[in-house]
Amino acid sequence: MSAPVLARLYRALLRGYPRTLRDRYGEEMARVFEAGAKDARLRGGLAGLLWFCAGALGDVVRGVISERLRASAAGLRERQVGEEWPVETSIERMHPLEGLWRDVRHGVRSLRRSPAFTVAAVLTMGLGIGANAAIFSVVRAVLLRPLPYEDADRLVMLWGEMTQRNVSNFPWSPPDYLDFRDQTTQLEDVAAVITFAQPLTGDGEPVQVQAGGVTTNFLSVLGVRPALGRDFVTADGEFVEQPAGAPAANAMVILSDVLWRTRYGGDPSVIGRVIDMGGNPGEIVGVAPPDFALHMPAVAGLASTVDLWTALRLDFVNANRNNVFLRVVARLAPGATLASAQQDVSRIAADLRARFVIKETSGLQARLVPLHADLVAPVRPVLLALMGAVVLVLLIACANVANLLLIRSVERERELAVRRALGGSRSRLVRQTLVDSALLSAAGGALGLFLASLGVSAVRFLRPAQLPRITEIELDGTVLAFTAGAAIFSAALFGLVPALRASRPAVTQVLRASGRAPGLALNRVFRDTVIIAEVALSLVLMIGAGLMMRTFSALQRVDHGFDAAGVLTFNVSLGNRFPSPEARRAFRDGFESRLRALPQVTAVASGLPVPLDGTLFHGRWGLAEALTNPQAFRQANYRVVSDGYFEALGITLVEGRVFTRAEIQDSMPVVVVDELMAASAFPGRSAVGERILVRISTPEPVWVEIVGVVKRQRHESPAEPGRENIFFTDRYAGLEGNLTWFVRTAGDPLGLVAGVRQALAAIEPTLPVSDVRPLASFVAQAIAPARFTLTLVATFAVIALVLAVVGLYGVLAYAVKQRTAEIGVRMAFGARASTILRLVVGQGLLLSGIGTVVGMLGALALTRVLASMLVGVSATDTRTYVAIAALFLVVATAASLVPALRAARVQPMRALREE
Amino acid sequence: MIKPRKTGRRPADTEADAMERAAAYLPLGPVAFEVMLSLAGGAQHGYAILRDIEARTGGEVSLHAGTLYRALFRLVEQELVEELEERPSAEADDARRRYYGMTALGRQVAAAEAKRLANRVATARDRKLLRQPRSV
């Protein structure tokens, strides 16, 4: 957490001080706090900082209370009045605010007199409010705040849908894009984007950066203007026909702020400079603003951080309609609605279907989705479920504090009765209890804010994959207002019942000799209901956490079909360095043999895409029938691999054989397929030797022969098997040298990095090595969302469990206290300690038993929201339910044992004498 | 806490008078005394006072901002400490910070407090709670 955020929180807390002190020294205190925080962080790390903040919080609370008491004591002396609690006759003549202030003072004093109660209540509220503020700040940054583009709610994504092949979120080809851009009447403008790796050479160390290739109107569609230089103009994207051998036309480039500052030293004179982009010239025309980021739905498979933008110089008109790669974003025209624009693009899609057979047979549709909704679609259900979970936690916390207040209100019954008897008006007594509640929830809110700031730093630190806009998460004014609202809401909720009770103390009963308040039957029912609700609510959360835990362990045990351990992956982007296939091949073979010569390396291969990295190559396949009926084509994932890929990744061959060297060198039309593909195409018989129609490097589908079948691999997600896979050789696909490298080692994959760089530098010093990662990290990244959800749900479940147990303990302890006399009588008449023990534990178990049953029913209804995230376990999994319920009852028994043992130790004589 | 009469600044007549006047402020609170001890070495800004106290006491006394400034607020109110107009030295200066220094009265009060405490320490020695300091 950054020091300025803490300092802002600290400044907010300083508001508690009286004005005179704050005006004079507030600013200085905040500065000293900030310096101290920095110092504590330097000396003691995060733990040191936390310790310091905790101390500072305590210091402020102590200081505020004592300054306020001092101020009011001074006021009292001036008026020459002093009394333990406010005497109503003098109060009524006071200014109303002054009366309120006395209530506050009286409240603070009485809370200080019962520190255990106060600490328990403030901690409870702090946990509840803190959890809410933390999750709300995430919900606000991710779901509620508009995207940082101009009129962001008018931006839409344009997706292709191949309804006949069950493929959605499909990109577009350049001519398709042109058709939409030129024929639409409901879209103001239409832009397209792709991202790709781009080597930068020439200025020092060669590096590989992420480039965003865009149509020239891309920035203007988003409403973003360059901070420096100019935006792209139409001429920047014009396709220039090059005679063979002539130098390529300059690519026009807008740098990201980060790249501008790091590689070009933030020098404004870079505008107009020509740079070497992996053998092609690029001309810098502008620098993007610092806060500009590409926020696109994860399914688009675009890089989230882009280092430079370049205007695509494509032959948009004549490009192949079957090569689809453009992600299209558009702005609704003034007056257009999503529905009218959808109608518009549907009309254009219908026209495309009429003109191109393949689009008709694949059932191509165009679908518009608001950009923001599309971006957050994968995380929205989780975030809403979390918000629900923390509201439950807050309700539990409120129930607990209401319970504590009720118990206390019985203890204070005498005080209230005396005040009532002395003429205190009912409204004054109610006001006093409400002020007590407000004080508790204000303190709880302050603590909650502190906990929330810790939580927000934790979220930003964990960086859960797939959570967009994570850097924008912060505790801002809206979150502060939300927290205040939550605190007020809680105060009203848990303060109401005790307040109503305070309005009618049983004056005569209480003031009689013994002063013992009768335990009203109604109260007992209320308290029991509260406990049952707490148990039920926390059980729902615990069952959710249990299911997520099963999911997580199932995900970790999943057989991915390949062995990720010990494999290092990296890219060498060739750019334009080797224009001819022969040169690329020579580079590839030379580099590969150098890699093989590295110590401990056992296998080297290359392939694309990397399993579980989130990208897929969609392709189609068909049997003879598809030649006459294009609708018979079906969808599969294409994968391109080099010689030795299956061995290097430990993929099991099920049938047939893998590619031979001769097949690879002669680009023979052969493929390897996975089991699912074999079963789909040739059910009930061997697929080896059969032929299928595919299209990867040819304009139209051609026949290829299946030479082998390999075991299924989880390429798309560890959670589900995914689609059929077809493997092509790199030479057949025309991609050799441009694939991701896989190097298997007997040792630590990261230990290879230096060797890999040296091997490349030895043969080709101008090319950068990039994206160096162990293959296992892709697996870890793929289960990261489940890990994050598990962490969160489990955190809240533990909080809820602690609250429920504290609540249960409180109720039983109070019951034992009230029934001391009864227990004494029972023991005097010969009841054994074990009988008393059973009595109290039995009461606890009865309450938690009922709560458990209610909670299980609630979980059956509510865990359905988790269903989409569960893997290897159903939302109604009996074993999880039973295990969690059993665990809960064990904990409940433990919580009941403490007051039960106290009851069993009651000495009959003393108990009776006190009565 | 009893707020002593505001004495203003008048010329110190005799030492006895001064001691008597200073006595009205005793005992100083522990925090106030630590602050005065720090300022006895010269004017300082707030954070420097904190660090000085921490260093002097070997970390035994470690104050937070609130406690420090509440004490300073009282000390300034009682005119034992004043906010300085001029800065102690050009190179150590930081324009954003306020510097605090002892008033003449403050120095007397701090001395009186130190003397009071020294009396207690002497008593402790007499009663063998503390060993005698080695003779030089």
Side-chain angles (χ1 to χ4, degrees), chain A residues 509-655:
Chain A
Q509 274 174 336
V510 174
L511 291 184
R512 264 187 224 129
S514 92
R516 180 171 297 282
L520 292 179
L522 182 71
N523 269 342
R524 191 168 158 202
V525 170
F526 178 79
R527 277 200 310 275
D528 289 354
T529 314
V530 163
I531 288 301
I532 289 169
E534 281 186 30
V535 169
L537 293 178
S538 64
L539 202 77
V540 170
L541 285 174
M542 283 176 64
I543 286 178
L547 292 174
M548 279 314 294
M549 212 177 288
R550 296 275 307 265
T551 295
F552 190 65
S553 81
L555 282 179
Q556 283 184 315
R557 282 196 315 265
V558 158
D559 177 9
H560 301 104
F562 58 90
D563 179 15
V567 176
L568 184 74
T569 71
F570 57 89
N571 287 319
V572 177
S573 167
L574 302 185
N576 204 25
R577 180 70 186 79
F578 304 110
S580 76
E582 291 74 26
R584 280 211 299 276
R585 210 167 297 156
F587 161 75
R588 198 203 82 146
D589 293 344
F591 186 39
E592 188 176 316
S593 60
R594 277 178 187 273
L595 288 175
R596 278 188 207 285
L598 290 174
Q600 291 204 303
V601 166
T602 56
V604 178
S606 48
L608 209 65
V610 178
L612 294 173
D613 79 343
T615 48
L616 293 174
F617 296 164
H618 299 282
R620 56 184 155 133
W621 64 272
L623 301 175
E625 182 198 3
L627 285 174
T628 49
N629 172 18
Q631 282 199 9
F633 275 112
R634 286 152 76 183
Q635 202 70 22
N637 293 331
Y638 282 7
R639 314 194 75 82
V640 180
V641 299
S642 76
D643 191 18
Y645 177 84
F646 300 108
E647 296 86 336
L649 267 76
I651 296 167
T652 315
L653 183 70
V654 177
E655 205 187 346

Side-chain angles (χ1 to χ4, degrees), chain A residues 10 17 20-21 24-25 28-29 31-32 35-36 39 43 52 55-56 59 63 66-67 70, chain B residues 1 46-47 50-51 54 64-67 69-70 72-74 76-77 83 96-98 100:
Chain A
Y10 187 77
Y17 280 117
T20 44
L21 182 66
R24 206 137 137 211
Y25 295 119
E28 253 185 282
M29 280 193 222
R31 271 212 299 276
V32 167
D39 215 50
R43 281 192 290 182
F52 176 81
D59 179 61
S66 104
E67 287 300 321
R70 186 195 293 268
Chain B
M1 189 198 279
Y47 192 53
L50 284 190
R51 299 305 305 270
E54 203 172 322
H64 279 280
T67 310
Y69 281 98
R70 284 166 51 219
L72 278 174
F73 182 69
R74 306 273 168 257
V76 170
E77 243 181 10
E83 291 170 17
R96 296 184 314 160
R97 287 168 165 168
R98 261 188 286 201
Y100 301 89

Side-chain angles (χ1 to χ4, degrees), chain A residues 138-291:
Chain A
V138 176
V139 166
R140 168 165 158 70
V142 177
L143 295 188
L144 301 181
R145 205 149 57 186
L147 289 172
Y149 305 132
E150 193 178 300
D151 285 334
D153 57 339
R154 304 289 290 167
L155 293 172
V156 288
M157 291 296 293
L158 175 63
W159 295 109
E161 305 274 321
M162 296 201 286
T163 50
Q164 292 299 318
R165 296 204 210 137
N166 194 21
V167 172
S168 50
N169 302 318
F170 213 56
W172 298 97
S173 71
D176 291 342
Y177 159 74
L178 276 194
D179 285 340
F180 281 106
R181 191 194 70 186
D182 297 342
Q183 294 173 28
T184 178
T185 57
Q186 297 294 304
L187 299 173
E188 187 177 298
D189 203 355
V190 185
V193 57
I194 52 168
T195 56
F196 50 88
Q198 171 70 56
L200 281 188
T201 41
D203 305 283
E205 184 90 343
V207 291
Q208 179 167 303
V209 298
Q210 275 297 337
V214 294
T215 53
T216 53
N217 59 355
F218 183 71
L219 293 183
S220 67
V221 165
L222 297 184
V224 173
R225 273 162 292 277
L228 203 65
R230 63 166 174 85
D231 194 356
F232 295 126
V233 294
T234 315
D236 295 343
E238 257 159 28
F239 179 66
V240 188
E241 192 104 35
Q242 292 296 328
N250 281 0
M252 298 303 180
V253 172
I254 292 181
L255 300 176
S256 74
D257 186 72
V258 170
L259 188 68
W260 178 55
R261 285 180 199 285
T262 52
R263 195 168 171 85
Y264 301 99
D267 176 10
S269 72
V270 292
I271 306 293
R273 205 162 126 192
V274 176
I275 55 174
D276 184 352
M277 303 187 8
N280 289 324
E283 183 182 337
I284 300 173
V285 300
V287 176
D291 55 351

Side-chain angles (χ1 to χ4, degrees), chain A residues 748-817:
Chain A
D748 174 17
L750 286 174
L752 274 179
V753 177
V756 167
R757 288 191 196 280
Q758 280 161 12
L760 181 64
I763 59 167
E764 197 44 69
T766 64
L767 292 180
V769 175
S770 67
D771 309 317
V772 184
R773 286 174 65 178
L775 184 55
S777 75
F778 288 96
V779 178
Q781 181 183 313
I783 59 175
R787 180 199 301 268
F788 184 64
T789 313
L790 169 64
T791 312
L792 278 173
V793 177
T795 306
F796 294 128
V798 168
I799 292 175
L801 175 67
V802 168
L803 297 186
V805 164
V806 167
L808 189 63
Y809 166 79
V811 160
L812 292 181
Y814 178 69
V816 167
K817 200 166 143 195

